[in-house]
Amino acid sequence: EVQLVQSGPEVKKPGESLKISCKASGYSFTTYWIAWVRQVPGKGLEWMGIIYPGDSDTRYSPSFQGQVTISADKSISTAYLQWSSLKASDTAMYYCARRGTGMRRFDSWGQGTLVTVSS
Amino acid sequence: QSALTQPASVSGSPGQSITISCTGTSSDVGGSNYVSWYQQHPGKAPKLIIYDVSNRPSGVSNRFSGSKSGNTASLTISGLQAEDEADYYCSSYPPSRPLFGGGTKLCVL
């Protein structure tokens, strides 16, 4: 069974750094893309970027380029999303999602990680 | 403002059919067969219910169907059930990056 299990909720202050994770199981981690999607409370879905763990090829949405870093550690089948300096506007639910090579859909999603940034 | 336009809400009674539209441009919806739909229940992660315009993943009810005409894609849910009450998001995936609609809240009266 394909599973994407994300790290738990986080409460941080503005200016702090953060790295959240998405652990994959049930499939070959290095042959599928992993995307990160933001959902501000009460709002819609926003694609942030995507990584191919097989060769670490990473693409970012222009809206998030330079604001976050996406990485992956294929030795432990885990993808990451990190911030170096959080803002209150980063408060949101963050989902990781799997995309097959040559496919243009997200067929499996993590349960989400709620990030709250407040002073 | 989302890249793809969906109605904010639709409603229907149990047993009825409803259709949710998703309007883009010739650069995304109109120029691609990579349109998908996601269902999201409150407090849950999105779930893929339609991909490549009209295909259903294994395990998704055949009450869900998708289509496209020009720059507008549509999701139709037939035989509405209470469990269908959720938010629905369309997505188009041109070569550059995926785009999402703003979401449509379906109320089953």
Side-chain angles (χ1 to χ4, degrees):
Chain A
E1 179 196 5
V2 174
Q3 279 196 306
L4 298 175
V5 178
Q6 299 186 228
S7 49
E10 301 275 0
V11 179
K12 292 288 190 180
K13 292 184 176 359
E16 292 186 331
S17 63
L18 176 63
K19 192 174 188 178
I20 62 175
S21 66
C22 169
K23 182 168 178 60
S25 62
Y27 73 96
S28 175
F29 181 65
T30 55
T31 59
Y32 284 79
W33 295 81
I34 292 285
W36 287 94
V37 177
R38 183 175 82 172
Q39 186 169 39
V40 173
K43 302 296 186 182
L45 305 172
E46 300 173 88
W47 181 78
M48 302 176 70
I50 197 166
I51 187 166
Y52 188 73
D55 61 7
S56 295
D57 184 6
T58 308
R59 323 275 174 84
Y60 293 93
S61 163
S63 300
F64 293 94
Q65 179 84 47
Q67 308 304 307
V68 297
T69 301
I70 294 171
S71 60
D73 184 340
K74 54 189 180 184
S75 70
I76 54 172
S77 300
T78 301
Y80 301 97
L81 176 66
Q82 69 180 84
W83 295 259
S84 59
S85 180
L86 287 159
K87 310 180 192 67
S89 56
D90 293 318
T91 294
M93 182 72 84
Y94 293 87
Y95 293 101
C96 61
R98 187 185 82 158
R99 196 204 96 183
T101 304
M103 300 176 186
R104 305 243 186 114
R105 59 188 182 264
F106 302 113
D107 64 355
S108 187
W109 294 66
Q111 84 277 18
T113 295
L114 181 62
V115 174
T116 303
V117 183
S118 174
S119 55
Chain B
Q1 187 175 356
S2 299
L4 307 179
T5 300
Q6 298 180 232
S9 63
V10 298
S11 61
S13 300
Q16 287 186 330
S17 294
I18 63 95
T19 296
I20 299 171
S21 62
C22 170
T23 302
T25 70
S26 58
S27 297
D28 39 68
V29 174
S32 168
N33 284 326
Y34 297 116
V35 176
S36 49
W37 290 88
Y38 300 88
Q39 177 193 59
Q40 186 179 34
H41 285 108
K44 299 294 187 183
K47 173 189 173 186
L48 178 69
I49 57 172
I50 294 288
Y51 67 93
D52 296 352
V53 177
S54 60
N55 293 287
R56 279 187 311 276
S58 173
V60 173
S61 171
N62 59 9
R63 298 186 298 105
F64 294 91
S65 61
S67 62
K68 191 186 81 165
S69 178
N71 296 339
T72 298
S74 298
L75 171 70
T76 297
I77 308 174
S78 59
L80 268 181
Q81 299 179 0
E83 68 206 47
D84 299 331
E85 188 160 288
D87 293 327
Y88 292 84
Y89 293 91
C90 64
S91 176
S92 174
Y93 209 142
S96 55
R97 60 188 173 100
L99 305 169
F100 289 100
T104 298
K105 180 177 289 294
L106 169 61
C107 294
V108 180
L109 304 172

